[in-house]
Amino acid sequence: MNRPNHAASDGRRRRNDWIFILSLLLVVSLAGLALFFLRGVGDTVIVTVDGVIYGTYPLDRDITVEIRTGDEEQNRNVLVIREGKARVEEATCPDGICAAHKPISREGESIVCLPHRVVITVHAENGDQEPDIIA
Amino acid sequence: MRHTSRKLAYLGLCTAVALILAYVEVLLPPLYSAVPGIKLGLSNIAIIFVLYRYGVRHAAVVSFVRIAVVSILFGNPMTFAYSAAGAALSLLVMAILRRMDVLSTVGVSVAGGVFHNVGQILMAMWLLGTAELGYYLIVLAITGTVSGIFVGLCGGMAVKRIPMRNI
């Protein structure tokens, strides 16, 4: 149909595909490695619901918190902190993704429950305590 | 006029194919449930086909109808918000790359897959008011690339093998 005049050949496009895909993977893995090594172990867990802080809990104290959300508090996520790691033990959300997430302890790691709009994030207290809020 | 109604019928057919592919994907077990948003994106095969055959405007309409119907059938209003953000950004990037004509459907589809994830994450950041979600993008970009290669190969074959006169 209306192909531009400078149309590349099939072989050239395929070569460009590889260059594009490999550089994409390279950039992403470098970013991943940088993030993994740059962030240290956190010491505080901040729970936000709809972007509003619900509670702040230290990672070094074992605790079980029932996060109740929704108009009639019908939504439930059970946050458990044990041995310096936080995880969601059980949840009433339909997908159960938050409960399947591995325990988190490193700075910046988070467990997200999209259906209940709950975000659990690890922070380092000596850093900035305020979670980044995007308006 | 005959030409237009013919085209309309084929676009409807493409929308139906996109919906069936989305349904097939719902039936598949989740690949890695710890990170939400990992998907094969099979219905993007149909979107790529429409993009290459009919152009970006028709692809946008097919994509929008697909998301609306999938959200009504399998999701909720939140699903719609995430999918719409992902699909809009993804289609925009794919249309630009197709215009530039330097990549095959595989490269275009990989970019589309990754930017679908970018759109979803941005929407989630906005709705949930947290920037921490950006970390998920690392994982999603890699899985999006892998599934994008598969989708791009399928889409390319469809564009090549379904004859012009038929559709």
Side-chain angles (χ1 to χ4, degrees), chain B residues 81-95:
Chain B
Y82 293 116
S83 305
L89 194 58
S90 160
L91 187 61
L92 181 74
V93 171
M94 289 199 295

Side-chain angles (χ1 to χ4, degrees), chain A residues 1-4 6-8 12-14 16-17 20-21 24-25 28 31-32 35 39 50-51 97 100-102 107-112 114 117-119 121 123 132-135, chain B residues 33-36 52-54 78 82 97-108 110-111 114 124-133 135-138 141-142 145 149 164:
Chain A
M1 296 227 308
N2 48 351
R3 280 260 164 76
H6 57 275
R12 203 181 162 77
R13 284 200 206 96
R14 202 162 308 140
N16 290 341
D17 277 353
F20 171 66
I21 291 168
L24 184 73
L25 287 178
V28 170
L35 282 178
R39 66 185 183 191
D50 251 327
I97 283 169
H101 200 291
K102 70 177 174 69
E107 185 189 356
E109 277 189 313
S110 59
I111 298 177
V112 180
L114 284 180
R117 312 180 117 200
V118 173
V119 180
T121 316
H123 285 259
D132 297 336
I133 306 278
I134 287 188
Chain B
S33 59
V35 179
Y52 273 76
R53 270 294 153 83
Y54 296 110
M78 293 291 279
Y82 293 116
L97 285 175
R98 188 213 162 208
R99 249 288 145 79
M100 286 165 64
D101 196 27
V102 287
L103 300 172
S104 81
T105 49
V106 175
V108 170
V110 165
V114 171
M125 281 177 168
W126 186 57
L127 286 177
L128 297 175
T130 170
E132 309 292 350
L133 289 167
Y135 291 111
Y136 280 126
L137 204 53
I138 303 289
I142 291 170
T145 303
I149 292 173
M164 258 334 239

Side-chain angles (χ1 to χ4, degrees), chain B residues 38-77:
Chain B
I38 294 182
K39 286 198 295 188
L40 261 172
L42 287 180
S43 58
N44 203 30
I45 296 172
I47 305 302
I48 284 183
F49 180 78
V50 178
L51 176 66
Y52 273 76
R53 270 294 153 83
Y54 296 110
V56 60
R57 252 177 272 168
H58 292 92
V61 174
V62 170
S63 188
F64 180 80
V65 173
R66 162 196 67 143
I67 289 161
V69 175
V70 168
S71 299
I72 291 166
L73 291 180
F74 313 120
N76 51 54

Side-chain angles (χ1 to χ4, degrees), chain A residues 49-127:
Chain A
V49 178
D50 251 327
V52 179
I53 293 183
Y54 180 94
T56 306
Y57 314 96
L59 258 181
D60 54 11
R61 200 175 322 137
D62 292 358
I63 193 176
T64 301
V65 188
E66 201 178 55
I67 305 162
R68 288 267 181 189
T69 50
D71 295 335
E72 289 143 31
E73 309 235 305
Q74 73 279 33
N75 301 332
R76 199 165 145 264
N77 298 69
V78 180
L79 167 71
V80 173
I81 298 177
R82 193 159 297 148
E83 290 167 2
K85 284 167 187 263
R87 66 194 167 89
V88 174
E89 191 168 72
E90 54 170 305
T92 56
C93 53
D95 53 19
I97 283 169
C98 53
H101 200 291
K102 70 177 174 69
I104 55 172
S105 58
R106 295 183 84 91
E107 185 189 356
E109 277 189 313
S110 59
I111 298 177
V112 180
C113 180
L114 284 180
H116 295 174
R117 312 180 117 200
V118 173
V119 180
I120 300 162
T121 316
V122 178
H123 285 259
E125 191 131 81
N126 43 14

